[in-house]
Each structure stands twice: as structure tokens, then as C-alpha cells.
């Protein structure tokens, strides 16, 4: 068995700067536990998890993020007409399964915060965006975007691989506010 701590510096992926962080790692013969905290211009996140050393490497991980600026990820991909997208996303994701087989991995999470502006019209999410991932499909359980005279609700499933089966429902229930 062993345990220790580590420091992360200059974390980058392509042009994205994930900043710096620190963490701990512990191995006791039966499992590996880790905890890491990272802070950057994109936001901050904390992750912790435990993976068994038994067959299939079953485990669980939790991720919590705060003030996550998704706009910085998407800046080159956002149409200029939506250039006023702003986010201060916060949320959590729980992941579990056998880590030697990605098909067994499931995730559940929720995200709060975020808005976008189209010229002078603004929409923002109302309540948590709830989602799940299983069997290579993203299940959008609840997304509610509101603005003046608008109450959009989105739900359904999106394939995360090349399989067909996009199944989304978008409803606009006019706001009475």
C-alpha cells in the first residue's frame, strides 16, 4: 500500500488551459482512491473516486464543477449570431461502472447556470439541467429555457456513437409572466 500527494501545473488540452491543481492518491491493495482539485480561467472542479483492483475494475467517481465557462470551450464553434453566450455553470456528475469496459459506464448529473442572447432576446435555464449517460446514449431528462414570452422544454436521447436514434422533444409553453 501507499499514499501520497501531487501537484498539477500547466494542464492543457489543445488550446485549452486547465490551470493548476493538487490532489491525493492512495492504494491499499484492494482499491485506488484519488481526489483532485483544479482551478483555471475556465472554472474550477473537484473530483474524487475509487476504483477496485478486482476483475473489471469496478468503481465510482464524482465530479463537481463551479463557475465553469463553457463559452471559452465553444468560442470558435459558436455562430456569430450567438456571440453573447454566457455561462457560469455549476453542477455535478457521478460516474460508475467497470472501468475496463466503457460500455458499462453510466453517469448521472445536473448543471445549473447559463444563458444566451440572440440580438436583444435572452434565454436562460430555469432550474437544473438533468441528464444521464448509459449504453452510449445521452438522456436529457430536463432542460427548461425561459425568456420573455418563452418557456422551452427539451428532453429525449442523443446517441453518443454513430448509431441512429436521435429522439428529442422540444416544447414551447408560452410564459404567462
Amino acid at each position: 500500500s501507499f499514499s501520497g500527494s501531487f501537484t498539477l501545473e500547466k494542464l492543457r488540452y489543445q488550446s485549452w488551459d486547465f490551470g493548476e491543481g493538487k490532489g491525493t492518491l492512495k492504494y491499499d491493495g484492494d482499491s485506488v482512491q484519488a481526489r483532485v482539485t483544479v482551478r483555471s480561467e475556465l472554472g474550477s472542479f473537484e473530483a474524487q473516486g475509487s476504483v477496485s483492483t478486482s476483475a473489471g475494475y469496478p468503481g465510482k467517481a464524482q465530479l463537481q464543477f463551479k463557475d465553469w465557462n463553457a463559452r471559452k470551450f465553444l468560442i470558435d464553434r459558436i455562430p456569430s449570431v450567438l456571440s453573447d453566450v454566457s455561462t457560469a455553470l455549476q453542477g455535478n456528475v457521478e460516474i460508475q461502472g467497470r472501468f475496463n469496459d466503457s460500455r458499462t459506464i453510466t453517469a448521472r448529473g445536473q448543471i445549473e447556470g447559463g444563458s444566451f442572447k440572440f440580438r436583444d432576446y435572452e434565454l436562460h435555464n430555469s432550474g437544473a439541467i438533468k441528464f444521464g449517460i448509459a449504453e452510449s446514449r445521452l438522456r436529457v431528462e430536463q432542460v427548461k429555457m425561459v425568456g420573455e414570452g418563452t418557456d422551452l422544454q427539451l428532453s429525449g436521447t442523443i446517441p453518443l456513437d454513430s448509431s441512429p436514434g436521435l429522439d428529442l422533444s422540444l416544447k414551447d409553453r408560452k410564459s404567462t409572466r
Side-chain angles (χ1 to χ4, degrees):
S1 74
F2 70 85
S3 64
S5 60
F6 54 90
T7 301
L8 303 168
E9 297 177 353
K10 299 179 184 176
L11 292 171
R12 296 188 67 77
Y13 176 74
Q14 295 179 356
S15 64
W16 299 331
D17 181 357
F18 287 99
E20 302 175 340
K22 60 183 178 179
T24 60
L25 185 67
K26 179 181 176 186
Y27 170 69
D28 63 13
D30 294 325
S31 66
V32 176
Q33 295 97 39
R35 179 182 295 262
V36 65
T37 302
V38 174
R39 303 208 188 304
S40 77
E41 65 180 26
L42 299 171
S44 65
F45 67 88
E46 295 180 20
Q48 61 184 9
S50 178
V51 177
S52 171
T53 58
S54 65
Y57 304 109
K60 184 184 253 188
Q62 296 88 29
L63 172 67
Q64 295 177 325
F65 51 95
K66 297 177 186 166
D67 300 322
W68 200 253
N69 188 345
R71 185 178 197 279
K72 291 190 180 198
F73 281 111
L74 304 172
I75 193 71
D76 296 334
R77 296 174 187 90
I78 296 175
S80 60
V81 73
L82 296 177
S83 62
D84 289 334
V85 170
S86 66
T87 61
L89 300 178
Q90 302 178 69
N92 60 68
V93 179
E94 185 172 293
I95 303 164
Q96 61 184 15
R98 292 189 325 270
F99 284 87
N100 73 335
D101 184 354
S102 62
R103 296 171 299 177
T104 71
I105 304 295
T106 62
R108 292 191 54 77
Q110 65 180 33
I111 300 170
E112 295 186 38
S115 65
F116 70 89
K117 199 180 224 184
F118 176 75
R119 297 196 175 122
D120 291 329
Y121 187 75
E122 184 173 347
L123 285 174
H124 63 276
N125 72 300
S126 172
I129 297 170
K130 296 181 180 179
F131 64 92
I133 298 173
E135 300 174 355
S136 298
R137 301 187 79 67
L138 170 63
R139 186 179 66 257
V140 179
E141 297 171 8
Q142 174 183 311
V143 175
K144 186 174 180 179
M145 300 294 288
V146 296
E148 186 176 328
T150 302
D151 183 349
L152 296 174
Q153 297 178 5
L154 175 72
S155 62
T157 58
I158 302 168
L160 297 176
D161 56 16
S162 60
S163 66
L166 178 66
D167 181 16
L168 290 176
S169 171
L170 178 64
K171 297 176 185 173
D172 183 5
R173 297 185 175 162
K174 297 291 182 193
S175 176
T176 57
R177 288 182 231 155

